[in-house]
Amino acid sequence: MERLLSVAHEVIGRCHALAEFTEEPGHITRTFLSPPMRGVHAQVRQWMEAAGMSVRVDAAGNIRGVYAGQTSARLLIGSHLDTVPHAGAFDGILGVILGITLVESLGGRRLPFQIEVIGFSEEEGVKFGVPFIGSRAVIGDLDPALIERISPAIADFGLDPAQLAEARLDSDALGYLEFHIEQGPVLENLDCAVAVVEAIAGQSRFEIAFRGDANHAATPMLSRRDALAAAAEWISAVEREALAAEGLLATVGSIEVEPGAANVIAGVARASLDVRHGDDAIRAAAAGRLLGCAQTIAARRGVTVASKRHLDRPAVRMDAALVSPLERAVARAGHPVHRMTSGAGHDAMILAPIVPAAMLFVRSPGGVSHHPAETVLPEDVTAALQAGMSFLEELEARHA
Amino acid sequence: MERLLSVAHEVIGRCHALAEFTEEPGHITRTFLSPPMRGVHAQVRQWMEAAGMSVRVDAAGNIRGVYAGQTSARLLIGSHLDTVPHAGAFDGILGVILGITLVESLGGRRLPFQIEVIGFSEEEGVKFGVPFIGSRAVIGDLDPALIERISPAIADFGLDPAQLAEARLDSDALGYLEFHIEQGPVLENLDCAVAVVEAIAGQSRFEIAFRGDANHAATPMLSRRDALAAAAEWISAVEREALAAEGLLATVGSIEVEPGAANVIAGVARASLDVRHGDDAIRAAAAGRLLGCAQTIAARRGVTVASKRHLDRPAVRMDAALVSPLERAVARAGHPVHRMTSGAGHDAMILAPIVPAAMLFVRSPGGVSHHPAETVLPEDVTAALQAGMSFLEELEARHA
């Protein structure tokens, strides 16, 4: 246990070391195939090779280390190495380092399956506005238009876009395991180190535009058709609906008004709406209610409203064949077993249709993520390591 | 009456003729001392001289025509010739043309006072973000810093900034009369052609910044500190307060959020607040309540709020010595006498501390202004002309 805590400190140190590879000095910013990703690959390759893995970087820029086993069956462990602008050191990175560290913990011992640790090149969607490019390449889900868009970046990095097909999984994968920080305060509020993810929430995204009359701020209150007042009333209704429904997340994160002058009533207010839930039917019903609510508010105010759907992604359940052993591993490691739905999307969601997938969340102190203040506790990293080692032992016994 | 209606049509025609002088073909945009203002001056000078006035353009770019009288006392009639971007043809312009037309209606007859018609060069504040430059020059209220900022534009137009002091009123003015479109729907709702302005509302302007936590849209609803949700609740409260108080106008016309992404809870929401009322005490109390309300909402949500005051302009009462004869003139012209407070600022507000001032509003069909669809009805222009002529007759009798 003492020893594991010192390993946990080393895991955290490695995350900080990779944070030095950045596009902006003083910040952590590392987008898809940006120059600092070369340094990350060199460092990760060194750790992987030292752990006895054979390493390649596929044409999508994913770094992949394979630790040989007694059969061709393969367990995947991974997460992503890219970041949002001005990120923290752990989102994504921690999962890759934990994968390498679990292989190191085997001390050269062979299991009845191979382990492939994958550091995905792209999950955040910063560079092309399209997330999950790394994991989509691994399941062969990149469409020709997207391949055409990303090919110059691939070639610039010194990779060959013509070889993208070889990024696809080429052996019988028995599962995919992803460690990731929670990116929320649930575990902190529960005082839990880790949680087993049951499902990744489905997500709908809309743009809602209220249109009234841009008029002088001298216009009497009763003669106004104020697009921002309508939007404000609706934003409050969105929040109320979400608070009233178990597990529903609804966010208006952006709003823009026209003309946007202090002395002119807003003629147009354009807002985003993001709706998430682990149950697709509940999410669809909630999105319908929220759009209906915008219509009702607009009609009462003599304002019009139009909505456009930008995203409709179904919920993805994690696979019981991996979730159950992961839960048992958490329990054997001496930690309470908390199950939760992930509100955020992850690479595990992309792999789940192809490979049985499971995720373990690690507490985010303060619920902070996508921010320089993002951190993890050494004790929680220890818990994740214990659970991971115990999970490998159960799989070893099952496949023996 | 038939004849007056045809004069009204000519007034409207002249407004349209001046609209041809614009910085942007296809739109009406004419800012302070922009090139098209030369064409406006040439045309206005021609009309003024034809009406028997001696004309000069002062160093602030105001065009001023003096119609000689039997004494050195002088009645000022004016409004502005600049426009907002993509304006209509009447805001400001109509008041200048009506002044010229009233002088024409005298047919060369001399009154016991002079009439000076002023076409102010700048009222909208578009070019330098500072409104009322034309009328402020006339009362000698341009500060040195502003003079330094505007001097290059004055020189470029071919005027001499060193002569700005000569723009000041140089004779005993017995009053200032301004005709202006209402810029609101009040007269249309009352089915009135014109209104006598009693006062110009005071105005407070603030910037209010709510600060919460920018966090992932996967954050549980109860763990959020959403700056936009706080701002939205407050915007609704602002509207409710204003609807509940007679004559109070409160507008949130601009809002900006950070980071402003669909999948990130707003960490900062920065909104404007514009508060207007004819009574300064009522306005100050309302502004205090609205800022207090922001504090209450923020505190309940664990969000902070900070406000900055950008403007605090007292209400300006029009002068009874002119308002009463103007009301009698409207009544003699056969129109209902409606009194109102102007929510918008006007040049009359700038002159009022120096010269007894009065304003006559002309109905804005649809309440539309600062927009290409801005218009006036010939019947309403006739009513304004009748009232103006009758007003001159009463002043003539009083000063005989």
Side-chain angles (χ1 to χ4, degrees), chain B residues 383-394:
Chain B
L385 280 168
Q386 288 174 301
M389 290 160 68
S390 190
F391 175 83
L392 288 182
E393 282 161 16
E394 177 163 338

Side-chain angles (χ1 to χ4, degrees), chain B residues 257-269:
Chain B
V257 296
E258 293 173 17
N263 62 342
V264 184
I265 295 160
V268 181

Side-chain angles (χ1 to χ4, degrees), chain A residues 231-384:
Chain A
E233 185 181 347
W234 173 73
I235 290 168
S236 294
V238 167
E239 189 188 35
R240 257 194 321 275
E241 278 277 347
L243 281 165
E246 169 86 34
L248 182 65
L249 300 173
T251 306
V252 180
S254 104
I255 186 165
E256 284 174 3
V257 296
E258 294 173 18
N263 62 342
V264 183
I265 296 160
V268 181
R270 208 175 274 109
S272 62
L273 172 64
D274 177 300
V275 184
R276 301 175 190 220
H277 198 279
D279 181 317
D280 291 334
I282 293 176
R283 172 174 54 91
R289 277 198 310 280
L290 295 175
L291 298 180
C293 181
Q295 294 286 358
T296 306
I297 289 168
R300 176 162 34 75
R301 290 171 168 273
V303 163
T304 65
V305 67
S307 65
K308 260 191 295 201
R309 191 169 68 187
H310 287 314
L311 182 71
D312 183 21
R313 202 180 65 197
V316 175
R317 294 207 65 78
M318 298 293 95
D319 195 301
L322 285 197
V323 168
S324 299
L326 189 57
E327 288 179 338
R328 286 190 291 269
V330 169
R332 279 194 302 270
H335 296 281
V337 177
H338 178 67
R339 298 175 176 208
M340 65 182 288
T341 295
S342 170
H346 292 288
D347 292 305
M349 173 183 88
I350 303 299
L351 275 84
I354 309 294
V355 183
M359 285 192 82
L360 192 75
F361 271 174
V362 179
R363 162 164 44 189
S364 296
V368 175
S369 70
H370 283 186
H371 190 279
E374 180 183 286
T375 181
V376 288
L377 301 177
E379 296 75 9
D380 298 349
V381 174
T382 303

Side-chain angles (χ1 to χ4, degrees), chain A residues 183 185-186 189 205 215-216 218-221 223-224 228-229 239 242 248-254 260-261 263-264 274 301 343-344 367, chain B residues 185-186 189 205 215-216 218-221 223-224 228-229 232 239 242 248-254 260-264 301 343-344 367:
Chain A
Q183 297 189 273
V186 171
N189 292 344
R205 206 176 286 175
N215 224 326
H216 199 288
T219 307
M221 298 306 295
S223 302
R224 298 177 173 209
L228 177 53
E239 189 188 35
L248 182 65
L249 300 173
T251 306
V252 180
S254 104
N263 62 342
V264 183
D274 177 300
R301 290 171 168 273
Chain B
V186 172
N189 292 343
R205 206 176 286 175
N215 224 326
H216 198 288
T219 306
M221 298 306 295
S223 302
R224 298 176 174 211
L228 177 54
E239 189 187 36
L248 181 65
L249 300 173
T251 306
V252 180
S254 104
N263 62 342
V264 184
R301 290 171 167 273

